[in-house]
Amino acid sequence: MRIADIMELTGASKATIYRWMDRHPTLTSGSKLSAVGESEGALPGTTFPKPERKEGRIVIWNEDEVLEWWKANEDHIGRHPEESHIIELPYERYRAAMSYPVEIHEDEDGNRVVEDYMASVTKTERNGDQVRIWFADITDAVLFKIKFA
């Protein structure tokens, strides 16, 4: 399995994948390790597999090991791009959302509430007249689309 395949599977960047390998212990790290190379007390499957070989400039991972690691960790590490909360808006509407003022009001209990619709945006990408907008939460994505679409 090549790095591009792992990036597509996990939705993580190349740098993140290499950080996963560096951050997690290996058998040669000198730390207290279990028989499978993980720190004592570490959750099973937290050690990202190391590449098994190099073919010229291409690094190859064992596909079964990577898929097993992803299956054990996909719920709490990374985010697959297809599972992200993404909406698309025309650029003009996105510009209107960017210039929309922050709303400050009080709730029923008298607590101050600040509503900043742009605070929920985690990433944007412009493609011609359309803007793709990523959100950490589906509720934020829906509220944003209702407000500005």
Side-chain angles (χ1 to χ4, degrees):
M1 182 174 244
R2 296 168 47 168
I3 189 75
D5 301 324
I6 296 171
M7 290 167 58
E8 182 179 336
L9 172 70
T10 63
S13 69
K14 186 176 183 179
T16 298
I17 293 165
Y18 280 100
R19 269 196 308 274
W20 288 344
M21 289 190 302
D22 288 340
R23 193 176 307 155
H24 297 296
T26 64
L27 286 171
T28 59
S29 69
S31 62
K32 290 186 175 185
L33 302 172
S34 68
V36 294
E38 296 171 349
S39 292
E40 291 180 11
L43 296 172
T46 56
T47 304
F48 190 81
K50 300 290 184 187
E52 63 178 16
R53 68 182 188 280
K54 211 173 169 186
E55 294 178 0
R57 293 174 48 183
I58 299 172
V59 180
I60 307 294
W61 279 262
N62 180 306
E63 184 173 4
D64 293 334
E65 289 177 8
V66 171
L67 293 175
E68 181 180 331
W69 181 89
W70 180 243
K71 184 177 178 183
N73 293 284
E74 68 180 321
D75 293 335
H76 59 278
I77 295 179
R79 170 178 283 153
H80 195 286
E82 292 175 6
E83 296 172 1
S84 297
H85 310 293
I86 303 171
I87 64 170
E88 283 195 21
L89 288 178
Y91 180 69
E92 294 168 4
R93 301 223 185 235
Y94 178 69
R95 293 272 306 171
M98 287 184 355
S99 61
Y100 194 82
V102 175
E103 295 177 0
I104 301 172
H105 57 86
E106 291 185 2
D107 63 7
E108 303 86 38
D109 299 328
N111 298 322
R112 183 175 179 226
V113 177
V114 177
E115 290 186 20
D116 182 2
Y117 294 98
M118 293 305 295
S120 60
V121 174
T122 59
K123 177 182 169 185
T124 60
E125 181 180 276
R126 185 172 178 189
N127 185 12
D129 291 338
Q130 294 290 314
V131 178
R132 293 184 80 194
I133 309 166
W134 280 258
F135 296 86
D137 185 272
I138 188 67
T139 305
D140 292 335
V142 170
L143 290 174
F144 193 93
K145 188 148 188 169
I146 289 170
K147 183 82 174 173
F148 299 106

